[in-house]
């Protein structure tokens, strides 16, 4: 099983990023997926989660209104579009897969995790 995030980097405040997560080694289309982030010295928190077919989506409070999660089951890829980025969005962003049918906000209900991609928002 592999989850490989990409698209992170340095961006100025107010800018945008699109993160991608390429999945392999499991049946991506049957898993709920989530994006989490962890800032230095802080706990890992959920940014957004999406059900297996994209029919149900949840956004965490930190990114609500500025983030869009999506998936392409034909490409086994998860996306996170982040707009109006702020310095407090600086963190390592992780994608994760959950074999639960419904969207879950509980990180302990995610079975697989990527290595993370660094997002730094700074001028």
């Amino acid at each position: 099983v592999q989850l490989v995030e990409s698209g992170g980097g340095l961006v100025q405040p107010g800018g945008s990023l699109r993160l991608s997560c390429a999945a392999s080694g499991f049946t991506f289309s049957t898993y709920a997926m989530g994006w989490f982030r962890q800032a230095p010295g802080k706990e890992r928190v959920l940014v957004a989660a999406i059900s297996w077919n994209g029919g149900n989506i949840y956004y965490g409070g930190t990114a609500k209104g500025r983030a869009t999660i999506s998936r392409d089951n034909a490409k086994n890829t998860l996306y996170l579009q982040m707009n109006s980025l702020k310095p407090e969005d600086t963190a390592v962003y992780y994608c994760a897969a959950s074999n639960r049918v419904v969207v879950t906000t509980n990180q302990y209900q995610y079975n697989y995790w990527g290595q993370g991609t660094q997002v730094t928002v700074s001028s």
Side-chain angles (χ1 to χ4, degrees):
V1 172
Q2 275 198 316
L3 294 171
V4 180
E5 302 95 337
S6 61
L10 175 65
V11 62
Q12 291 189 340
S16 299
L17 275 180
R18 189 193 197 201
L19 304 180
S20 299
C21 173
S24 61
F26 66 104
T27 308
F28 177 78
S29 61
T30 66
Y31 278 65
M33 299 295 295
W35 284 101
F36 292 78
R37 72 185 189 187
Q38 187 167 22
K42 296 188 176 181
E43 294 187 351
R44 187 162 56 188
V45 297
L46 178 68
V47 178
I50 186 168
S51 61
W52 65 277
N53 64 350
N56 289 293
I57 290 175
Y58 172 88
Y59 291 102
T62 55
K64 192 173 291 185
R66 300 185 296 118
T68 302
I69 188 171
S70 62
R71 66 189 298 161
D72 186 337
N73 286 346
K75 295 181 178 180
N76 288 351
T77 303
L78 176 73
Y79 303 100
L80 181 71
Q81 176 73 37
M82 291 281 293
N83 301 320
S84 302
L85 286 162
K86 307 173 183 180
E88 50 264 44
D89 293 318
T90 295
V92 177
Y93 284 70
Y94 300 91
C95 73
S98 171
N99 62 4
R100 288 182 166 263
V101 174
V102 296
V103 170
T104 178
T105 63
N106 185 342
Q107 62 177 307
Y108 299 105
Q109 293 176 344
Y110 284 81
N111 309 93
Y112 308 127
W113 291 83
Q115 292 299 306
T117 184
Q118 176 71 48
V119 172
T120 302
V121 184
S122 175
S123 55

